Amino acid sequence: GAWSAWTVVSPSIPWQPRSALRPWVATLRGQVEHGPSGPHPADPARQRFVYVLWHEALLAAFLFRRYPGHVLISQHADGELIAQACERLGVAVIRGSSRKGGARALLQMCRLSEQSHIVITPDGPRGPRRRMPEGVIQLAGLVGLPILPVGIGFQSAWRANSWDRFAVPRPFSTIHFHAGAAIHVPPQLDDNLIEAYRQ
C-alpha cells in the first residue's frame, strides 16, 4: 500500500528542528500489509478504529499518517517530551493515563471517537512491555469502535536502554507495518469476557 515518509522529531531531542531530520527520513522505506479489514489507516469519515501498537514503535508510527487521529500520551515527564514532538508534527494528542488524568482523557476519547481514530500504546507509559491491559478492551466497548492491532517491525533499528527498548529506525532501512484483523468488542462485558478479549 501507499506509504508516505514525513519528518519526525525524536522524543529525546524535542528541540531539534524538523529540517535537520529530513535527510534521515527520506532514506526510510515502508512496507504495509493491510490485512483482512482493508487499507489502513482508514478514512475516519467511513470507518474509525482504536489503533493499538506497542510503545516501542511509536516513533515509526509517526511516519505513517494519512488521516486524522488522536494519540493518547501520558502526563508523566517522558510523555511530555513525546507530546511536544507530536504537536510539532501536527499530530493531535490526548493527555492522560490510568495513573494520572485518566477520567479527563476517557471523556475526550469518547467525544473524539465520533470523528477520529484513537491511537493507543497499551503497554505505555511504563510497562510491562508488550502487555495488553483491560482498559483498552473496556474503552473499545464503551466508544463502540473496533480495535485494530498494528504490528511494526524494523529491518534495522537502534534500541534505547529503556523499559520498552524504544526503536529508532536506522537510515536506509525498511519499516514493516502489519494491520491485523479488527476486533469488535461488545459493550458491558463481564470480567471473564474482558479477559478473553484482552488475550
Side-chain angles (χ1 to χ4, degrees):
W3 182 85
S4 59
W6 54 296
T7 305
V8 297
V9 176
S10 168
S12 64
I13 46 173
W15 49 264
Q16 186 163 353
R18 293 173 61 174
S19 59
L21 293 175
R22 285 195 180 112
W24 165 65
V25 173
T27 70
L28 299 175
R29 298 177 297 277
Q31 292 184 355
V32 182
E33 184 175 343
H34 292 297
S37 56
H40 290 282
D43 181 348
R46 298 183 177 182
Q47 175 68 70
R48 293 174 300 283
F49 294 92
V50 177
Y51 285 104
V52 295
L53 56 131
W54 299 133
H55 193 272
E56 66 200 70
L58 187 57
L59 178 61
F62 290 165
L63 299 172
F64 186 62
R65 176 177 177 265
R66 195 181 313 138
Y67 296 109
H70 287 74
V71 182
L72 179 64
I73 304 292
S74 73
Q75 291 186 344
H76 67 83
D78 291 344
E80 180 62 29
L81 297 177
I82 297 174
Q84 289 178 20
C86 288
E87 289 166 0
R88 284 190 174 92
L89 297 167
V91 178
V93 300
I94 302 166
R95 300 302 306 275
S97 68
S98 59
R99 295 180 177 91
K100 185 177 181 182
R104 185 178 67 174
L106 178 60
L107 289 174
Q108 283 186 278
M109 286 187 286
C110 289
R111 176 175 55 84
L112 292 168
S113 66
E114 297 179 359
Q115 61 191 31
S116 171
H117 302 301
I118 304 298
V119 182
I120 295 178
T121 56
D123 56 343
R126 299 185 182 276
R129 182 178 184 236
R130 297 185 177 182
R131 185 183 189 278
M132 176 71 72
E134 294 180 352
V136 177
I137 310 304
Q138 295 166 332
L139 171 68
L142 180 63
V143 301
L145 298 184
I147 295 172
L148 201 292
V150 180
I152 300 178
F154 301 91
Q155 179 188 36
S156 181
W158 290 292
R159 292 281 183 169
N161 186 23
S162 57
W163 69 266
D164 62 348
R165 300 191 65 231
F166 195 85
V168 178
R170 294 178 185 271
F172 301 101
S173 65
T174 299
I175 305 171
H176 299 270
F177 297 87
H178 177 85
I183 301 169
H184 297 268
V185 179
Q188 299 179 339
L189 295 176
D190 62 29
D191 290 345
N192 289 335
L193 285 175
I194 287 175
E195 175 61 16
Y197 276 95
R198 188 193 73 79
Q199 292 288 347

